Amino acid sequence: MSEAMHIVLDETAMAAAGQGNVLASRLIHRAHAQAGWFLYAPTCALVEADRARPGTAEHLAALPGITVLDLDLPAALAVAQQETWATAHSQHAAQPTADRPDGAIVATTVPKRWEGHPVRVLDLTP
């Protein structure tokens, strides 16, 4: 039996999915079709992705394999301590929880931006 795969999409990965990035599309397909694969879209990152590529938020929120993560109080407190809301909410979403004891991997097309952050990264650069 394989372990569950938890992946947080940052705003660059979300925008890339809307532009036809093959790796992002494969993640979305897996999360929809394969048990044990979970994709998360933090709300703050979803807003930034939609600003970069209008229509992205509505499209991703409609996909059955993606869970949109609300900006709850713990996330808001984490966001308040960081420079950008999208990065902060994505980093917060990737931290270990009771449901995800090992945390989640952050999928991105700009892996260098995550250097120095306490997260594991999945590079979606084509």
Side-chain angles (χ1 to χ4, degrees):
M1 184 166 141
S2 64
E3 301 244 349
M5 181 65 70
H6 297 277
I7 300 173
V8 173
L9 300 172
D10 77 359
E11 76 276 11
T12 68
M14 292 182 210
Q19 295 172 326
N21 179 293
V22 174
L23 298 173
S25 295
R26 286 181 184 165
L27 284 177
I28 292 167
H29 174 73
R30 278 225 173 155
H32 174 66
Q34 191 169 337
W37 279 73
F38 303 94
L39 284 184
Y40 304 97
T43 304
C44 294
L46 193 59
V47 169
E48 286 302 315
D50 200 68
R51 286 180 179 166
R53 184 168 168 75
T56 299
E58 187 174 352
H59 175 72
L60 288 176
L63 294 174
I66 297 179
T67 301
V68 176
L69 300 175
D70 294 333
L71 184 63
D72 58 8
L73 180 58
L77 295 173
V79 164
Q81 298 174 11
Q82 297 285 333
E83 189 171 317
T84 70
W85 288 35
T87 301
H89 200 184
S90 297
Q91 180 178 325
H92 173 75
Q95 299 308 304
T97 65
D99 295 338
R100 301 182 302 273
D102 293 327
I105 299 167
V106 175
T108 185
T109 61
V110 185
K112 285 190 174 239
R113 80 180 317 184
W114 292 101
E115 289 177 0
H117 292 273
V119 295
R120 295 174 290 155
V121 173
L122 176 61
D123 185 356
L124 298 182
T125 306

